PDB file of all heavy atoms in Angstrom:
ATOM      1  N   HIS A  15       7.293   7.632 -11.156  1.00  0.00           N
ATOM      2  CA  HIS A  15       6.826   6.939 -12.379  1.00  0.00           C
ATOM      3  C   HIS A  15       7.341   5.498 -12.349  1.00  0.00           C
ATOM      4  O   HIS A  15       8.345   5.152 -12.961  1.00  0.00           O
ATOM      5  CB  HIS A  15       7.328   7.662 -13.615  1.00  0.00           C
ATOM      6  CG  HIS A  15       6.791   9.047 -13.717  1.00  0.00           C
ATOM      7  ND1 HIS A  15       5.483   9.357 -13.894  1.00  0.00           N
ATOM      8  CD2 HIS A  15       7.427  10.251 -13.606  1.00  0.00           C
ATOM      9  CE1 HIS A  15       5.317  10.634 -13.923  1.00  0.00           C
ATOM     10  NE2 HIS A  15       6.484  11.234 -13.771  1.00  0.00           N
ATOM     11  N   ILE A  16       6.619   4.674 -11.565  1.00  0.00           N
ATOM     12  CA  ILE A  16       7.076   3.307 -11.401  1.00  0.00           C
ATOM     13  C   ILE A  16       6.569   2.471 -12.551  1.00  0.00           C
ATOM     14  O   ILE A  16       5.422   2.552 -12.949  1.00  0.00           O
ATOM     15  CB  ILE A  16       6.559   2.734 -10.054  1.00  0.00           C
ATOM     16  CG1 ILE A  16       7.158   3.545  -8.916  1.00  0.00           C
ATOM     17  CG2 ILE A  16       6.866   1.296  -9.916  1.00  0.00           C
ATOM     18  CD1 ILE A  16       6.584   3.194  -7.565  1.00  0.00           C
ATOM     19  N   LEU A  17       7.422   1.600 -13.064  1.00  0.00           N
ATOM     20  CA  LEU A  17       7.045   0.613 -14.038  1.00  0.00           C
ATOM     21  C   LEU A  17       6.833  -0.681 -13.319  1.00  0.00           C
ATOM     22  O   LEU A  17       7.562  -1.064 -12.413  1.00  0.00           O
ATOM     23  CB  LEU A  17       8.136   0.485 -15.098  1.00  0.00           C
ATOM     24  CG  LEU A  17       8.458   1.719 -15.891  1.00  0.00           C
ATOM     25  CD1 LEU A  17       9.564   1.418 -16.882  1.00  0.00           C
ATOM     26  CD2 LEU A  17       7.244   2.214 -16.676  1.00  0.00           C
ATOM     27  N   TRP A  18       5.854  -1.418 -13.700  1.00  0.00           N
ATOM     28  CA  TRP A  18       5.595  -2.692 -13.042  1.00  0.00           C
ATOM     29  C   TRP A  18       5.262  -3.779 -14.035  1.00  0.00           C
ATOM     30  O   TRP A  18       4.865  -3.512 -15.164  1.00  0.00           O
ATOM     31  CB  TRP A  18       4.491  -2.550 -11.984  1.00  0.00           C
ATOM     32  CG  TRP A  18       3.259  -1.949 -12.456  1.00  0.00           C
ATOM     33  CD1 TRP A  18       2.962  -0.645 -12.670  1.00  0.00           C
ATOM     34  CD2 TRP A  18       2.039  -2.684 -12.811  1.00  0.00           C
ATOM     35  NE1 TRP A  18       1.682  -0.483 -13.116  1.00  0.00           N
ATOM     36  CE2 TRP A  18       1.109  -1.731 -13.195  1.00  0.00           C
ATOM     37  CE3 TRP A  18       1.709  -4.021 -12.819  1.00  0.00           C
ATOM     38  CZ2 TRP A  18      -0.155  -2.061 -13.622  1.00  0.00           C
ATOM     39  CZ3 TRP A  18       0.447  -4.388 -13.236  1.00  0.00           C
ATOM     40  CH2 TRP A  18      -0.506  -3.374 -13.578  1.00  0.00           C
ATOM     41  N   LEU A  19       5.488  -5.018 -13.622  1.00  0.00           N
ATOM     42  CA  LEU A  19       5.388  -6.150 -14.493  1.00  0.00           C
ATOM     43  C   LEU A  19       3.971  -6.727 -14.462  1.00  0.00           C
ATOM     44  O   LEU A  19       3.429  -6.994 -13.440  1.00  0.00           O
ATOM     45  CB  LEU A  19       6.380  -7.233 -14.066  1.00  0.00           C
ATOM     46  CG  LEU A  19       6.661  -8.326 -15.025  1.00  0.00           C
ATOM     47  CD1 LEU A  19       7.406  -7.794 -16.234  1.00  0.00           C
ATOM     48  CD2 LEU A  19       7.473  -9.419 -14.359  1.00  0.00           C
ATOM     49  N   TYR A  20       3.466  -6.927 -15.650  1.00  0.00           N
ATOM     50  CA  TYR A  20       2.137  -7.546 -15.783  1.00  0.00           C
ATOM     51  C   TYR A  20       2.104  -8.382 -17.065  1.00  0.00           C
ATOM     52  O   TYR A  20       2.443  -7.925 -18.121  1.00  0.00           O
ATOM     53  CB  TYR A  20       1.032  -6.496 -15.796  1.00  0.00           C
ATOM     54  CG  TYR A  20      -0.336  -7.107 -15.992  1.00  0.00           C
ATOM     55  CD1 TYR A  20      -0.862  -8.005 -15.060  1.00  0.00           C
ATOM     56  CD2 TYR A  20      -1.134  -6.765 -17.113  1.00  0.00           C
ATOM     57  CE1 TYR A  20      -2.101  -8.511 -15.247  1.00  0.00           C
ATOM     58  CE2 TYR A  20      -2.359  -7.320 -17.286  1.00  0.00           C
ATOM     59  CZ  TYR A  20      -2.892  -8.206 -16.377  1.00  0.00           C
ATOM     60  OH  TYR A  20      -4.111  -8.757 -16.524  1.00  0.00           O
ATOM     61  N   GLN A  21       1.733  -9.618 -16.931  1.00  0.00           N
ATOM     62  CA  GLN A  21       1.726 -10.576 -18.009  1.00  0.00           C
ATOM     63  C   GLN A  21       3.067 -10.592 -18.760  1.00  0.00           C
ATOM     64  O   GLN A  21       3.168 -10.689 -19.989  1.00  0.00           O
ATOM     65  CB  GLN A  21       0.606 -10.240 -19.043  1.00  0.00           C
ATOM     66  CG  GLN A  21      -0.757 -10.490 -18.398  1.00  0.00           C
ATOM     67  CD  GLN A  21      -1.907 -10.215 -19.391  1.00  0.00           C
ATOM     68  OE1 GLN A  21      -1.761  -9.480 -20.330  1.00  0.00           O
ATOM     69  NE2 GLN A  21      -3.054 -10.826 -19.143  1.00  0.00           N
ATOM     70  N   GLY A  22       4.138 -10.530 -17.942  1.00  0.00           N
ATOM     71  CA  GLY A  22       5.487 -10.674 -18.438  1.00  0.00           C
ATOM     72  C   GLY A  22       6.049  -9.464 -19.202  1.00  0.00           C
ATOM     73  O   GLY A  22       7.110  -9.541 -19.751  1.00  0.00           O
ATOM     74  N   GLN A  23       5.341  -8.342 -19.213  1.00  0.00           N
ATOM     75  CA  GLN A  23       5.792  -7.177 -19.905  1.00  0.00           C
ATOM     76  C   GLN A  23       5.738  -5.954 -18.994  1.00  0.00           C
ATOM     77  O   GLN A  23       4.938  -5.880 -18.087  1.00  0.00           O
ATOM     78  CB  GLN A  23       4.970  -6.883 -21.148  1.00  0.00           C
ATOM     79  CG  GLN A  23       5.052  -8.002 -22.215  1.00  0.00           C
ATOM     80  CD  GLN A  23       4.201  -7.646 -23.393  1.00  0.00           C
ATOM     81  OE1 GLN A  23       3.409  -6.727 -23.350  1.00  0.00           O
ATOM     82  NE2 GLN A  23       4.388  -8.409 -24.462  1.00  0.00           N
ATOM     83  N   LEU A  24       6.641  -4.991 -19.226  1.00  0.00           N
ATOM     84  CA  LEU A  24       6.614  -3.735 -18.461  1.00  0.00           C
ATOM     85  C   LEU A  24       5.474  -2.863 -19.012  1.00  0.00           C
ATOM     86  O   LEU A  24       5.409  -2.635 -20.202  1.00  0.00           O
ATOM     87  CB  LEU A  24       7.939  -3.007 -18.558  1.00  0.00           C
ATOM     88  CG  LEU A  24       9.070  -3.621 -17.728  1.00  0.00           C
ATOM     89  CD1 LEU A  24      10.377  -2.924 -18.059  1.00  0.00           C
ATOM     90  CD2 LEU A  24       8.768  -3.476 -16.248  1.00  0.00           C
ATOM     91  N   VAL A  25       4.689  -2.372 -18.099  1.00  0.00           N
ATOM     92  CA  VAL A  25       3.553  -1.506 -18.496  1.00  0.00           C
ATOM     93  C   VAL A  25       3.683  -0.197 -17.756  1.00  0.00           C
ATOM     94  O   VAL A  25       3.982  -0.122 -16.586  1.00  0.00           O
ATOM     95  CB  VAL A  25       2.203  -2.180 -18.086  1.00  0.00           C
ATOM     96  CG1 VAL A  25       1.045  -1.321 -18.472  1.00  0.00           C
ATOM     97  CG2 VAL A  25       2.092  -3.555 -18.731  1.00  0.00           C
ATOM     98  N   SER A  26       3.510   0.901 -18.445  1.00  0.00           N
ATOM     99  CA  SER A  26       3.725   2.221 -17.829  1.00  0.00           C
ATOM    100  C   SER A  26       2.604   2.542 -16.847  1.00  0.00           C
ATOM    101  O   SER A  26       1.528   1.930 -16.831  1.00  0.00           O
ATOM    102  CB  SER A  26       3.737   3.313 -18.894  1.00  0.00           C
ATOM    103  OG  SER A  26       2.451   3.629 -19.341  1.00  0.00           O
ATOM    104  N   SER A  27       2.877   3.515 -15.936  1.00  0.00           N
ATOM    105  CA  SER A  27       1.904   3.886 -14.946  1.00  0.00           C
ATOM    106  C   SER A  27       0.659   4.527 -15.529  1.00  0.00           C
ATOM    107  O   SER A  27      -0.291   4.759 -14.799  1.00  0.00           O
ATOM    108  CB  SER A  27       2.546   4.870 -13.940  1.00  0.00           C
ATOM    109  OG  SER A  27       3.020   5.987 -14.610  1.00  0.00           O
ATOM    110  N   GLN A  28       0.669   4.809 -16.846  1.00  0.00           N
ATOM    111  CA  GLN A  28      -0.494   5.367 -17.484  1.00  0.00           C
ATOM    112  C   GLN A  28      -1.544   4.325 -17.805  1.00  0.00           C
ATOM    113  O   GLN A  28      -2.664   4.621 -18.222  1.00  0.00           O
ATOM    114  CB  GLN A  28      -0.089   6.125 -18.783  1.00  0.00           C
ATOM    115  CG  GLN A  28       0.954   7.222 -18.553  1.00  0.00           C
ATOM    116  CD  GLN A  28       0.473   8.251 -17.547  1.00  0.00           C
ATOM    117  OE1 GLN A  28      -0.646   8.732 -17.651  1.00  0.00           O
ATOM    118  NE2 GLN A  28       1.349   8.595 -16.631  1.00  0.00           N
ATOM    119  N   ALA A  29      -1.196   3.047 -17.665  1.00  0.00           N
ATOM    120  CA  ALA A  29      -2.144   1.999 -17.955  1.00  0.00           C
ATOM    121  C   ALA A  29      -3.360   2.078 -17.056  1.00  0.00           C
ATOM    122  O   ALA A  29      -3.305   2.601 -15.990  1.00  0.00           O
ATOM    123  CB  ALA A  29      -1.445   0.604 -17.826  1.00  0.00           C
ATOM    124  N   ASN A  30      -4.448   1.514 -17.497  1.00  0.00           N
ATOM    125  CA  ASN A  30      -5.695   1.576 -16.744  1.00  0.00           C
ATOM    126  C   ASN A  30      -5.607   0.527 -15.604  1.00  0.00           C
ATOM    127  O   ASN A  30      -5.803  -0.650 -15.835  1.00  0.00           O
ATOM    128  CB  ASN A  30      -6.877   1.249 -17.656  1.00  0.00           C
ATOM    129  CG  ASN A  30      -8.202   1.461 -16.925  1.00  0.00           C
ATOM    130  OD1 ASN A  30      -8.283   1.398 -15.728  1.00  0.00           O
ATOM    131  ND2 ASN A  30      -9.210   1.779 -17.696  1.00  0.00           N
ATOM    132  N   MET A  31      -5.256   1.023 -14.419  1.00  0.00           N
ATOM    133  CA  MET A  31      -5.014   0.092 -13.313  1.00  0.00           C
ATOM    134  C   MET A  31      -6.283  -0.650 -12.902  1.00  0.00           C
ATOM    135  O   MET A  31      -6.237  -1.797 -12.458  1.00  0.00           O
ATOM    136  CB  MET A  31      -4.466   0.897 -12.091  1.00  0.00           C
ATOM    137  CG  MET A  31      -3.992  -0.015 -10.938  1.00  0.00           C
ATOM    138  SD  MET A  31      -2.953   0.846  -9.788  1.00  0.00           S
ATOM    139  CE  MET A  31      -4.004   2.248  -9.294  1.00  0.00           C
ATOM    140  N   SER A  32      -7.452  -0.028 -13.032  1.00  0.00           N
ATOM    141  CA  SER A  32      -8.678  -0.707 -12.652  1.00  0.00           C
ATOM    142  C   SER A  32      -8.933  -1.949 -13.470  1.00  0.00           C
ATOM    143  O   SER A  32      -9.447  -2.956 -12.973  1.00  0.00           O
ATOM    144  CB  SER A  32      -9.860   0.264 -12.756  1.00  0.00           C
ATOM    145  OG  SER A  32     -10.075   0.668 -14.085  1.00  0.00           O
ATOM    146  N   ASN A  33      -8.540  -1.932 -14.748  1.00  0.00           N
ATOM    147  CA  ASN A  33      -8.670  -3.087 -15.586  1.00  0.00           C
ATOM    148  C   ASN A  33      -7.741  -4.215 -15.156  1.00  0.00           C
ATOM    149  O   ASN A  33      -8.120  -5.379 -15.144  1.00  0.00           O
ATOM    150  CB  ASN A  33      -8.390  -2.742 -17.079  1.00  0.00           C
ATOM    151  CG  ASN A  33      -9.512  -1.941 -17.666  1.00  0.00           C
ATOM    152  OD1 ASN A  33     -10.647  -1.906 -17.152  1.00  0.00           O
ATOM    153  ND2 ASN A  33      -9.240  -1.269 -18.789  1.00  0.00           N
ATOM    154  N   VAL A  34      -6.555  -3.850 -14.757  1.00  0.00           N
ATOM    155  CA  VAL A  34      -5.575  -4.810 -14.318  1.00  0.00           C
ATOM    156  C   VAL A  34      -6.039  -5.486 -13.005  1.00  0.00           C
ATOM    157  O   VAL A  34      -5.905  -6.682 -12.806  1.00  0.00           O
ATOM    158  CB  VAL A  34      -4.185  -4.139 -14.115  1.00  0.00           C
ATOM    159  CG1 VAL A  34      -3.232  -5.120 -13.474  1.00  0.00           C
ATOM    160  CG2 VAL A  34      -3.656  -3.648 -15.461  1.00  0.00           C
ATOM    161  N   LEU A  35      -6.619  -4.695 -12.116  1.00  0.00           N
ATOM    162  CA  LEU A  35      -7.068  -5.212 -10.828  1.00  0.00           C
ATOM    163  C   LEU A  35      -8.412  -5.918 -10.866  1.00  0.00           C
ATOM    164  O   LEU A  35      -8.820  -6.574  -9.918  1.00  0.00           O
ATOM    165  CB  LEU A  35      -7.160  -4.021  -9.828  1.00  0.00           C
ATOM    166  CG  LEU A  35      -5.828  -3.367  -9.442  1.00  0.00           C
ATOM    167  CD1 LEU A  35      -6.078  -2.112  -8.612  1.00  0.00           C
ATOM    168  CD2 LEU A  35      -4.892  -4.284  -8.763  1.00  0.00           C
ATOM    169  N   ALA A  36      -9.104  -5.774 -11.998  1.00  0.00           N
ATOM    170  CA  ALA A  36     -10.517  -6.273 -12.119  1.00  0.00           C
ATOM    171  C   ALA A  36     -10.672  -7.757 -11.754  1.00  0.00           C
ATOM    172  O   ALA A  36     -11.640  -8.073 -11.074  1.00  0.00           O
ATOM    173  CB  ALA A  36     -11.026  -5.979 -13.500  1.00  0.00           C
ATOM    174  N   PRO A  37      -9.736  -8.615 -12.155  1.00  0.00           N
ATOM    175  CA  PRO A  37      -9.970 -10.077 -11.869  1.00  0.00           C
ATOM    176  C   PRO A  37     -10.066 -10.364 -10.369  1.00  0.00           C
ATOM    177  O   PRO A  37     -10.699 -11.341  -9.995  1.00  0.00           O
ATOM    178  CB  PRO A  37      -8.722 -10.751 -12.464  1.00  0.00           C
ATOM    179  CG  PRO A  37      -8.282  -9.817 -13.568  1.00  0.00           C
ATOM    180  CD  PRO A  37      -8.561  -8.456 -13.014  1.00  0.00           C
ATOM    181  N   GLN A  38      -9.506  -9.507  -9.496  1.00  0.00           N
ATOM    182  CA  GLN A  38      -9.539  -9.778  -8.066  1.00  0.00           C
ATOM    183  C   GLN A  38     -10.410  -8.781  -7.258  1.00  0.00           C
ATOM    184  O   GLN A  38     -10.507  -8.883  -6.076  1.00  0.00           O
ATOM    185  CB  GLN A  38      -8.134  -9.776  -7.504  1.00  0.00           C
ATOM    186  CG  GLN A  38      -7.239 -10.863  -8.052  1.00  0.00           C
ATOM    187  CD  GLN A  38      -5.825 -10.839  -7.496  1.00  0.00           C
ATOM    188  OE1 GLN A  38      -5.353  -9.795  -7.059  1.00  0.00           O
ATOM    189  NE2 GLN A  38      -5.127 -11.976  -7.521  1.00  0.00           N
ATOM    190  N   ALA A  39     -10.965  -7.829  -7.985  1.00  0.00           N
ATOM    191  CA  ALA A  39     -11.631  -6.700  -7.324  1.00  0.00           C
ATOM    192  C   ALA A  39     -12.730  -7.085  -6.340  1.00  0.00           C
ATOM    193  O   ALA A  39     -12.919  -6.528  -5.297  1.00  0.00           O
ATOM    194  CB  ALA A  39     -12.157  -5.703  -8.359  1.00  0.00           C
ATOM    195  N   GLY A  40     -13.501  -8.151  -6.735  1.00  0.00           N
ATOM    196  CA  GLY A  40     -14.602  -8.574  -5.877  1.00  0.00           C
ATOM    197  C   GLY A  40     -14.265  -9.695  -4.921  1.00  0.00           C
ATOM    198  O   GLY A  40     -15.173 -10.174  -4.181  1.00  0.00           O
ATOM    199  N   ARG A  41     -13.047 -10.093  -4.873  1.00  0.00           N
ATOM    200  CA  ARG A  41     -12.662 -11.217  -4.011  1.00  0.00           C
ATOM    201  C   ARG A  41     -12.700 -10.785  -2.546  1.00  0.00           C
ATOM    202  O   ARG A  41     -12.166  -9.771  -2.142  1.00  0.00           O
ATOM    203  CB  ARG A  41     -11.217 -11.650  -4.355  1.00  0.00           C
ATOM    204  CG  ARG A  41     -10.697 -12.825  -3.552  1.00  0.00           C
ATOM    205  CD  ARG A  41     -11.224 -14.153  -4.077  1.00  0.00           C
ATOM    206  NE  ARG A  41     -10.442 -15.287  -3.538  1.00  0.00           N
ATOM    207  CZ  ARG A  41     -10.762 -15.978  -2.455  1.00  0.00           C
ATOM    208  NH1 ARG A  41     -11.879 -15.683  -1.823  1.00  0.00           N
ATOM    209  NH2 ARG A  41      -9.982 -16.969  -2.007  1.00  0.00           N
ATOM    210  N   VAL A  42     -13.382 -11.617  -1.731  1.00  0.00           N
ATOM    211  CA  VAL A  42     -13.555 -11.287  -0.301  1.00  0.00           C
ATOM    212  C   VAL A  42     -13.216 -12.520   0.499  1.00  0.00           C
ATOM    213  O   VAL A  42     -13.735 -13.575   0.270  1.00  0.00           O
ATOM    214  CB  VAL A  42     -14.988 -10.822   0.013  1.00  0.00           C
ATOM    215  CG1 VAL A  42     -15.208 -10.633   1.499  1.00  0.00           C
ATOM    216  CG2 VAL A  42     -15.322  -9.502  -0.720  1.00  0.00           C
TER     217      VAL A  42
END
């Protein structure tokens, strides 16, 4: 159960990871 930092706050592993990754998802 890793906690990780996003936008300066700790977010639990239950967060929607796809939303977090969305800004870079299509980058090639």
